[in-house]
């Protein structure tokens, strides 16, 4: 039984005051983390404050990190520091980083190894642009991204890896993949992991869907066989909506 993960990606939104107000509003109502893993991924300067106030059931994540432990990399953040301040998750290879900051499959792979080395749970993003979907090449594209991201990761490390399938055309656009489309792509990712390792290993990996998830559609998405939760951008900025999505996830596992 894979535990559901609902991870909010705040992107470059929220000041410190807004972030702390959010935490104050949600803290008492977050479902027990034995049931649902609730995560907020915030801008780096907010992370320490959020970790201090996160409560027992919320986990805090970063949105990026550098692949090296330390060095002359002005403006970057190390996995060592994230681990040191109590951050537990890190998004790696978000399509916005691939598009605007030159993130490649190779850097994603290096960052993934580095995150695991420091005990951070990576949320590795893969997903196709619209042109690829329209050409009917989604499966091959996502398979290749998955294989490259996971290169050299051992089977016994895979349980600590979370993957997010995020079709680029669905991110921040209000266009969600249908539950069937999302489930099909996620099944394909699971099969890819099965080919790299074995079916038992693939079965343990949490694979989330991301792309315009909100309180209206999260229920039907997580009801699909292979979808183990959601990476949520815009809709995670509101405490009320974030809590609503967590409560839908909680209801789902109690069914
Ligand atoms: C994201 O930031 O990963 C995302 C899926 O954004 P949105 O939910 O706003 O589409």
């Amino acid at each position: 039984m894979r535990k559901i993960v609902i991870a909010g990606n705040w992107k470059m939104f929220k000041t410190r005051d807004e972030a702390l107000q959010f935490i104050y509003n949600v803290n008492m109502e977050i479902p027990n983390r034995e049931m649902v893993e609730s995560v907020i991924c915030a801008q780096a300067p907010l992370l320490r404050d959020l970790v201090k106030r996160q409560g027992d059931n919320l986990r805090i994540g970063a949105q990026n990190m550098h692949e090296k432990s330390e060095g002359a990399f002005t403006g970057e953040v190390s996995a060592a520091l994230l681990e040191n301040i109590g951050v537990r998750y890190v998004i790696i290879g978000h399509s916005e980083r691939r598009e605007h900051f030159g993130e490649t499959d190779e850097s994603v792979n290096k960052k993934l190894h580095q995150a695991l080395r420091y005990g951070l749970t990576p949320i590795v993003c893969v997903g196709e642009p619209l042109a690829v979907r329209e050409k009917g090449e989604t499966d091959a594209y996502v398979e290749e991204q998955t294989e490259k991201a996971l290169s050299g990761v051992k089977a016994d490390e895979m349980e600590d890896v979370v993957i997010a399938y995020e079709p680029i055309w669905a991110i921040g656009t209000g266009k969600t993949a249908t539950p069937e489309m999302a489930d099909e792509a996620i099944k394909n990712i699971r099969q890819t992991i099965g080919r790299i390792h074995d079916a038992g290993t693939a079965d343990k990996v949490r694979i989330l869907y991301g792309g315009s998830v909100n309180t209206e559609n999260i229920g039907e998405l997580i009801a699909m066989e292979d979808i183990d939760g959601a990476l949520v951008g815009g809709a995670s900025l509101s405490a009320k909506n974030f809590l609503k999505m967590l409560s839908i996830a909680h209801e789902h596992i109690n069914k």
Side-chain angles (χ1 to χ4, degrees):
M1 186 56 181
R2 298 180 295 263
K3 200 202 294 181
I4 286 193
V5 182
I6 307 292
N9 172 20
W10 281 355
K11 313 193 190 208
M12 202 173 71
F13 291 100
K14 289 203 191 289
T15 62
R16 178 173 183 271
D17 288 349
E18 289 165 347
L20 296 186
Q21 184 64 51
F22 178 102
I23 295 295
Y24 177 79
N25 290 343
V26 300
N27 248 351
M28 303 306 291
E29 291 178 58
I30 298 204
N32 190 305
R33 74 186 158 84
E34 298 305 319
M35 313 290 280
V36 177
E37 191 83 4
S38 309
V39 185
I40 285 290
C41 300
Q43 296 180 74
L46 294 173
L47 294 172
R48 181 62 185 147
D49 274 337
L50 295 180
V51 164
K52 279 201 218 152
R53 292 168 173 84
Q54 71 192 18
D56 283 345
N57 293 320
L58 184 65
R59 291 283 176 254
I60 301 301
Q63 298 174 2
N64 180 39
M65 49 164 265
H66 197 268
E67 68 209 41
K68 296 268 171 54
S69 297
E70 59 181 7
F73 301 105
T74 303
E76 290 291 327
V77 175
S78 69
L81 177 59
L82 294 176
E83 186 270 337
N84 183 244
I85 64 170
V87 166
R88 298 290 185 83
Y89 281 76
V90 58
I91 298 175
I92 294 178
H94 192 281
S95 61
E96 288 156 13
R97 294 218 50 92
R98 292 181 192 251
E99 184 184 346
H100 304 303
F101 302 98
E103 195 90 81
T104 62
D105 289 332
E106 288 66 35
S107 63
V108 168
N109 176 251
K110 286 183 184 154
K111 289 180 183 195
L112 172 50
H113 282 282
Q114 183 74 342
L116 292 172
R117 203 167 291 134
Y118 282 89
L120 300 168
T121 301
I123 302 177
V124 184
C125 301
V126 296
E128 79 289 357
L130 186 58
V132 168
R133 177 157 288 268
E134 284 176 347
K135 275 194 271 171
E137 292 170 1
T138 297
D139 283 358
Y141 187 93
V142 173
E143 267 168 54
E144 189 181 336
Q145 272 187 328
T146 306
E147 279 163 9
K148 288 186 170 168
L150 298 179
S151 171
V153 178
K154 299 190 189 80
D156 64 1
E157 293 175 309
M158 283 306 299
E159 225 176 317
D160 302 322
V161 175
V162 173
I163 296 180
Y165 167 63
E166 299 209 309
I168 296 173
W169 47 270
I171 299 179
T173 57
K175 288 185 202 151
T176 323
T178 62
E180 291 73 24
M181 275 157 93
D183 197 53
E184 192 185 320
I186 287 176
K187 279 198 163 65
N188 181 39
I189 294 170
R190 205 176 295 290
Q191 278 161 10
T192 305
I193 300 169
R195 275 197 301 279
I196 300 170
H197 295 291
D198 54 84
T201 301
D203 247 7
K204 291 185 192 148
V205 179
R206 269 91 51 84
I207 312 181
L208 318 183
Y209 167 76
S212 299
V213 174
N214 56 38
T215 55
E216 299 296 310
N217 57 28
I218 193 166
E220 56 185 14
L221 287 160
I222 59 175
M224 300 304 289
E225 192 184 14
D226 270 78
I227 304 182
D228 303 319
L231 180 57
V232 187
S236 73
L237 291 167
S238 142
K240 187 166 154 259
N241 289 342
F242 186 61
L243 283 176
K244 175 84 185 150
M245 290 185 283
L246 297 182
S247 112
I248 293 169
H250 194 250
E251 273 165 32
H252 166 73
I253 45 174
N254 282 331
K255 269 189 195 157

